[in-house]
Amino acid sequence: MSSITLDRPTVSGSTLACEVHPSSDLQRFFTGEPITVDYDRSIESVPDGILVIPILAQVCPVAWANGADVYVETVDGSFAHAIAAVQESLCRMHDFLEGGELYARRVHDSDDAGNGDGERSDGSDDAPGTGTDDGSTHNSDDGSDSALLFTGGVDSTCSYVRHREEAPTLVSLRGWTITPDPADDEDWATLRERVSAFADERDLDTAFLETNALSALDHAMLLAHYKRYVDGGWYSSVGHGLGLLGLCAPMAYTRDIDDLYVAATHWDGIDLEWGSRPDIDNHVRWTGTQCHHDAYDLTRQERLDLIADYVEREAPDLELQTCNTRLDGNCGRCEKCYRTAVGLRLSGLDPQAHGYPFTDAEYHDLRRNLERGTWVLGQDERYMWEDIRERVRETDREPESAAEREFFAWLETANLDELVSDSGPPLSHRMLRAGARNAPASVYNAAYPVWKTMKTGLHRVRLGR
């Protein structure tokens, strides 16, 4: 019987660690490392039912892909309800997911969530993952606090603008696009500095989290097995909504966060198989905290419009950070830099004033790269360029130059589906994935360094939304 068993999480100051024990048939999807998360304040007062949430949020989707059950000592009752709803949404979205059950010896009901021992209120053992959710809060004062996952890109900046009257805590994570590898130390320092500066200018609090969750999972093997079913990577297409929000649970508990926002990537009317959607994120909750998939009612261009209004009224020097290849500014040459710069122009802003070295001469290179399939594109990029095309059709704004007019004329008739299908990862990467799907674990492990190199190079490009 396929299963994943979690040890009781351990805490040392601000560091959470948990050993994961998959059954033999699932071992290839884990590297054997305990999952760890480092927070920026002590989490020693956080009960076990909350501490296990960051771990469950990573391993449950892997279990569901294999029809496996997950076993824990203790779980928060509200999260147990949430995980069942998230599983239903993900299984409905991805046909290859089989589902599974969550079993807990003890379930924290809301009225005893502050008790670190965490006995289930009815005293039962080996209870399936269920519990009550009566809306009670933990360690709470009379105030209401919110937090927002924040990178400084279009989506998270839009969500800040929408909720700025709440003065949300800005939460940034290391462990996905910025890996725990020492080679990424400079990128992490750059992100922290930039987010802290944004927060200081607005008198906001920050929270910084670091995790090895994606190196404890064997993401390359997950990609090898399931890439054929998804448009992006494993985490982007399946795990990241639940995964990123779940990592925040101890942080939210210590800060009495009532509402946790994650900015939408897509918008209403786009039905893509993506790991962060309203029917996933809006289910995620634990005692004291409700998560929200934010700004799904706005297209990306409409989000830029909202940011443009904020720039004109309150923040004339605002710079966005969206680059696929660097964090210390925008390269101006990747697909996302070009796409954001064009969007800024359509919202009435000068890209050069907000972080993008974009001039009219860039339109020629942008078109050439799209036509040549230079970038790895997915269906979400197709929808975003379609959104830009719709704005061009609707606006009465005159192109600023002959080059801009020529590009928009080309975009009007461009076959966006062909642009996406003609782009893609190198054949060698596809062949490696196919080989890993069928390789015995011992053979795969011997080849893991090659896989890790491939994963890093491809992963960075695809995740830069």
Side-chain angles (χ1 to χ4, degrees):
M1 182 70 179
S2 297
S3 65
I4 300 173
T5 301
L6 306 185
D7 284 354
R8 181 179 181 179
T10 62
V11 171
S12 177
S14 60
T15 299
L16 169 69
C18 185
E19 295 280 355
V20 179
H21 304 284
S23 55
S24 59
D25 58 316
L26 301 184
Q27 286 179 357
R28 65 170 55 203
F29 298 120
F30 297 85
T31 63
E33 300 176 48
I35 296 178
T36 62
V37 192
D38 291 309
Y39 298 89
D40 58 3
R41 64 171 61 179
S42 174
I43 56 169
E44 293 195 352
S45 66
V46 179
D48 285 353
I50 300 291
L51 290 174
V52 78
I53 290 173
I55 318 304
L56 285 172
Q58 315 310 315
V59 306
C60 279
V62 179
W64 300 335
N66 294 275
D69 296 331
V70 179
Y71 295 86
V72 298
E73 279 292 313
T74 306
V75 68
D76 175 74
S78 293
F79 186 74
H81 279 301
I83 205 77
V86 171
Q87 176 185 248
E88 182 178 350
S89 292
L90 279 171
C91 288
R92 187 167 55 244
M93 180 170 63
H94 291 297
D95 291 341
F96 69 89
L97 295 180
E98 301 176 35
E101 297 294 335
L102 171 63
Y103 292 95
R105 187 169 296 278
R106 288 177 291 274
V107 177
H108 280 308
D109 289 336
S110 298
D111 57 1
D112 64 3
N115 178 356
D117 293 333
E119 291 291 340
R120 183 179 167 90
S121 59
D122 62 9
S124 62
D125 286 342
D126 295 318
T130 57
T132 62
D133 181 18
D134 63 4
S136 303
T137 59
H138 55 80
N139 299 334
S140 181
D141 53 28
D142 294 330
S144 175
D145 289 302
S146 66
L148 165 66
L149 291 171
F150 188 80
T151 64
V154 171
D155 301 330
S156 62
T157 301
C158 171
S159 286
Y160 166 71
V161 172
R162 282 164 60 102
H163 298 284
R164 64 190 184 278
E165 292 184 1
E166 301 174 33
T169 296
L170 303 184
V171 184
S172 300
L173 299 102
R174 178 179 187 177
W176 187 16
T177 54
I178 301 176
T179 75
D181 192 290
D184 277 356
D185 286 352
E186 186 175 346
D187 282 346
W188 178 236
T190 297
L191 177 64
R192 289 184 61 130
E193 181 179 354
R194 181 162 46 79
V195 172
S196 296
F198 184 97
D200 289 345
E201 290 174 4
R202 294 158 179 82
D203 197 24
L204 304 174
D205 290 331
T206 57
F208 295 102
L209 288 60
E210 301 183 54
T211 182
N212 72 338
L214 280 188
S215 57
L217 295 181
D218 192 334
H219 195 270
M221 181 57 84
L222 288 166
L223 194 64
H225 277 256
Y226 303 114
K227 171 61 183 172
R228 51 187 161 165
Y229 301 117
V230 299
D231 181 50
W234 165 265
Y235 211 56
S236 58
S237 294
V238 182
H240 78 280
L242 173 64
L244 297 181
L245 291 169
L247 289 168
C248 296
M251 177 280 300
Y253 188 91
T254 62
R255 286 172 165 83
D256 294 323
I257 298 298
D258 299 309
D259 297 290
L260 175 59
Y261 300 102
V262 57
T265 299
H266 303 133
W267 51 88
D268 192 17
I270 295 180
D271 187 23
L272 290 180
E273 296 170 348
W274 188 247
S276 175
R277 309 193 327 175
D279 57 348
I280 296 170
D281 301 341
N282 289 341
H283 288 307
V284 181
R285 66 189 189 280
W286 48 86
T287 294
T289 303
Q290 173 66 54
C291 299
H292 307 273
H293 187 85
D294 190 59
Y296 189 66
D297 54 321
L298 300 177
T299 71
R300 192 170 192 270
Q301 193 59 49
E302 289 169 340
R303 293 168 199 166
L304 284 168
D305 292 342
L306 191 70
I307 292 170
D309 183 66
Y310 173 65
V311 165
E312 292 174 4
R313 294 173 182 268
E314 301 181 36
D317 298 325
L318 176 72
E319 291 194 359
L320 298 172
Q321 176 69 44
T322 62
C323 186
N324 274 337
T325 61
R326 53 185 284 194
L327 285 169
D328 58 344
N330 297 296
C331 73
R333 295 287 181 175
C334 68
E335 182 271 337
K336 195 173 183 183
C337 278
Y338 278 130
R339 172 163 37 93
T340 305
V342 173
L344 285 169
R345 276 205 170 183
L346 289 171
S347 292
L349 296 179
D350 178 2
Q352 294 191 59
H354 303 287
Y356 298 87
F358 184 86
T359 65
D360 287 330
E362 307 294 333
Y363 279 115
H364 176 266
D365 290 341
L366 169 56
R367 174 179 172 177
R368 181 182 60 188
N369 286 325
L370 287 171
E371 290 181 323
R372 290 182 176 180
T374 301
W375 301 301
V376 179
L377 304 178
Q379 286 301 313
D380 51 337
E381 284 92 357
R382 187 191 75 81
Y383 278 109
M384 291 177 189
W385 281 108
E386 184 176 67
D387 183 39
I388 289 174
R389 180 162 65 188
E390 288 302 312
R391 174 56 60 87
V392 172
R393 290 171 176 171
E394 294 169 1
T395 187
D396 56 3
R397 168 185 171 276
E398 285 295 319
E400 295 184 12
S401 66
E404 186 171 84
R405 181 178 294 105
E406 182 180 347
F407 177 79
F408 287 157
W410 169 80
L411 184 62
E412 172 68 26
T413 60
N415 188 320
L416 298 179
D417 287 321
E418 285 187 3
L419 294 179
V420 170
S421 64
D422 289 344
S423 73
L427 177 61
S428 59
H429 289 182
R430 300 197 296 272
M431 292 175 66
L432 279 171
R433 285 199 298 266
R437 282 199 298 271
N438 301 309
S442 59
V443 174
Y444 164 77
N445 290 338
Y448 183 75
V450 176
W451 267 104
K452 187 175 181 181
T453 299
M454 186 213 84
K455 173 189 70 173
T456 302
L458 181 60
H459 194 54
R460 287 178 177 274
V461 174
R462 292 297 293 127
L463 293 182
R465 292 286 187 259

